Amino acid sequence: MNFASAKEGDELNERQNKLLKTIIESYIKTIKPIGSKSLCKKFKCSSATIRNEMSELEKLGLLEKNHISSGRVPSEAGYKYYVEHLMKPKELTGEDVLKLQTIVRNNELELSDSINKTVQIISELTNYTSIILGKSSKENTLKQVNIIPIENNKIVALVCTDKGIVENKQFILDNKAEIDEIVKTSEIINKMLVGTPINEVSERLEFEIKPIISRQIKQYETVYNIFADAFNDFLHKSQNVYFGGKTKIFDEPEYNNVLEIKQLASKFEDKEFIKRIEEDDDETGEIKVYIGEENDFDPNVTIIKSKYKHNGEEGTIAIVGPKRMEYDRVVGLLEYLQKELNEEEK
């Protein structure tokens, strides 16, 4: 496992390590500075000794003064040091394992349904926002195109792949386009293009399907453009984004500023920002932790992420929370998911 590097500095002695670990884990749970009395009892030393050690940790940049009280709280560097040197991943409970296995090992679920359910369970178990960014594999092929009339002059075009990825696009028809002609064109596409790699469909649509419908369909240009738009939209969404608990992060006490909430919420809606969360090209498959300024998404959050491979698909699982995150629980969860998904891949 490879974590973002902790701040360089003098090595801590054993007591300082234990003290820092205690302070951080207490703050993660309570979001309050831990009292010196309880620290004295735990470490069986005087308050003066505790104060001196905490002062040293502050000089090293691992603790900082709380703006609200006089107590000290973990700094961003402190969290990084904790993750790198002090934290141990927490094992999942039997109940948590069962919830995940019920989805991951269910071969009857379509891929998109499986990912949707998985991302919801991850968010439920962590109480943070979870995101899965799935890349369509090169093996993805066109399974079916469906046209569904919904009301008056509106239709929905459904594009489905053999891997269970489904995208839909709504169109408002002008008076020239007839639904019967659109349905007829979808039948031609299904007859000729099913089994075509999804990234080759647009080209075949133009050079093979368009000449055919130009002889059979009156308003073939209008009809052709509907399907061209639907496939182009599908390719544009080739990186499928699934959210779990998109607003859960805002339940954390840190998020009490309306402006900050709006700014972060807008990033969740912006696909370009979401893409910044995507895992890099590193093929080691290690779980990575990006705290605050280390991530390119938002300096006030922590992002923990890892790659996955499952049923021919691959992508990134990311969990977004406050810097005061339960790192041990989240890392333990991702470690389990990696193992489970890799076993299913064999």
Side-chain angles (χ1 to χ4, degrees):
M1 189 185 307
N2 178 38
F3 297 102
S5 296
K7 181 178 178 180
E8 295 296 329
D10 298 332
E11 287 188 10
L12 304 188
N13 61 42
E14 184 179 354
R15 183 164 59 194
Q16 288 171 337
N17 274 321
K18 289 181 179 179
L19 182 61
L20 182 63
K21 185 174 186 289
T22 300
I23 291 171
I24 289 177
E25 291 181 349
S26 173
Y27 189 73
I28 286 171
K29 290 179 182 177
T30 67
I31 201 170
K32 294 178 181 178
I34 187 169
S36 57
K37 286 185 179 180
S38 58
L39 288 172
C40 290
K41 289 180 181 179
K42 181 177 178 65
F43 290 92
K44 298 178 180 179
C45 57
S46 67
S47 58
T49 300
I50 293 294
R51 285 197 301 272
N52 288 336
E53 296 286 33
M54 291 179 73
S55 178
E56 189 61 31
L57 291 172
E58 186 178 0
K59 287 178 183 176
L60 291 170
L62 302 175
L63 294 179
E64 60 189 13
K65 287 284 180 65
N66 190 312
H67 297 299
I68 299 172
S69 69
S70 58
R72 294 179 179 88
V73 299
S75 65
E76 192 167 295
Y79 285 122
K80 292 174 188 175
Y81 184 92
Y82 168 75
V83 169
E84 182 74 42
H85 301 287
L86 308 177
M87 182 212 73
K88 291 183 179 179
K90 184 181 290 186
E91 288 189 16
L92 271 65
T93 65
E95 183 181 353
D96 293 346
V97 167
L98 185 60
K99 284 180 180 179
L100 289 168
Q101 285 183 348
T102 302
I103 303 304
V104 175
R105 297 186 180 183
N106 188 344
N107 295 323
E108 295 180 3
L109 285 175
E110 292 284 357
L111 178 67
S112 56
D113 291 334
S114 176
I115 292 176
N116 266 320
K117 290 180 182 294
T118 300
V119 82
Q120 296 299 334
I121 290 175
I122 291 172
S123 185
E124 176 190 326
L125 295 182
T126 62
N127 286 319
Y128 305 129
T129 298
S130 58
I131 305 171
I132 293 183
L133 300 97
K135 292 182 179 178
S136 297
S137 72
K138 295 177 182 177
E139 299 172 0
N140 242 298
T141 61
L142 180 66
K143 180 179 180 180
Q144 193 173 28
V145 177
N146 286 324
I147 298 298
I148 304 173
I150 49 177
E151 59 179 30
N152 299 326
N153 61 338
K154 292 181 182 179
I155 64 166
V156 171
L158 288 177
V159 179
C160 313
T161 77
D162 63 329
K163 298 297 184 182
I165 297 175
V166 179
E167 292 290 350
N168 65 81
K169 186 172 178 66
Q170 183 174 307
F171 294 92
I172 299 176
L173 305 178
D174 58 32
N175 294 329
K176 296 178 182 179
E178 296 183 9
I179 290 180
D180 289 346
E181 291 191 333
I182 296 170
V183 172
K184 184 177 180 180
T185 301
S186 72
E187 292 171 352
I188 294 171
I189 291 172
N190 285 329
K191 184 178 180 180
M192 294 185 64
L193 300 188
V194 166
T196 301
I198 202 69
N199 59 336
E200 298 176 14
V201 169
S202 293
E203 185 177 354
R204 290 192 63 187
L205 183 71
E206 181 176 356
F207 292 105
E208 297 179 33
I209 303 299
K210 191 174 182 180
I212 293 173
I213 65 173
S214 69
R215 298 190 294 269
Q216 300 182 25
I217 305 296
K218 292 178 183 178
Q219 302 297 329
Y220 76 92
E221 286 282 1
T222 301
V223 174
Y224 167 79
N225 287 334
I226 287 174
F227 288 98
D229 287 349
F231 284 118
N232 285 333
D233 194 52
F234 185 95
L235 286 174
H236 184 67
K237 295 178 179 178
S238 59
Q239 184 187 60
N240 300 283
V241 180
Y242 302 84
F243 273 96
K246 189 181 285 189
T247 61
K248 271 190 177 292
I249 189 173
F250 303 127
D251 294 336
E252 298 295 328
E254 287 90 337
Y255 297 94
N256 54 14
N257 182 298
V258 176
L259 181 59
E260 286 183 7
I261 292 174
K262 285 183 177 180
Q263 288 175 341
L264 187 54
S266 68
K267 289 179 181 179
F268 283 144
E269 300 300 328
D270 187 330
K271 195 163 186 178
E272 290 307 310
F273 264 102
I274 293 299
K275 284 181 179 178
R276 297 183 186 185
I277 293 177
E278 185 182 9
E279 188 57 272
D280 53 35
D281 294 330
D282 176 46
E283 295 296 327
T284 62
E286 295 171 334
I287 295 168
K288 297 186 177 179
V289 180
Y290 297 89
I291 302 172
E293 297 291 345
E294 286 185 327
N295 71 74
D296 294 327
F297 183 71
D298 189 280
N300 295 314
V301 304
T302 284
I303 297 175
I304 304 181
K305 58 188 180 180
S306 67
K307 281 188 173 182
Y308 74 88
K309 290 185 178 180
H310 187 56
N311 290 342
E313 297 296 316
E314 61 181 61
T316 300
I317 301 175
I319 298 175
V320 184
K323 286 185 277 190
R324 183 192 54 85
M325 181 188 273
E326 284 188 271
Y327 293 94
D328 54 356
R329 178 157 172 73
V330 173
V331 171
L333 172 62
L334 289 178
E335 279 189 348
Y336 174 80
L337 274 173
Q338 275 193 336
K339 181 181 176 183
E340 189 72 17
L341 293 172
N342 287 339
E343 285 182 357
E344 290 293 300
E345 187 75 7
K346 293 176 182 177

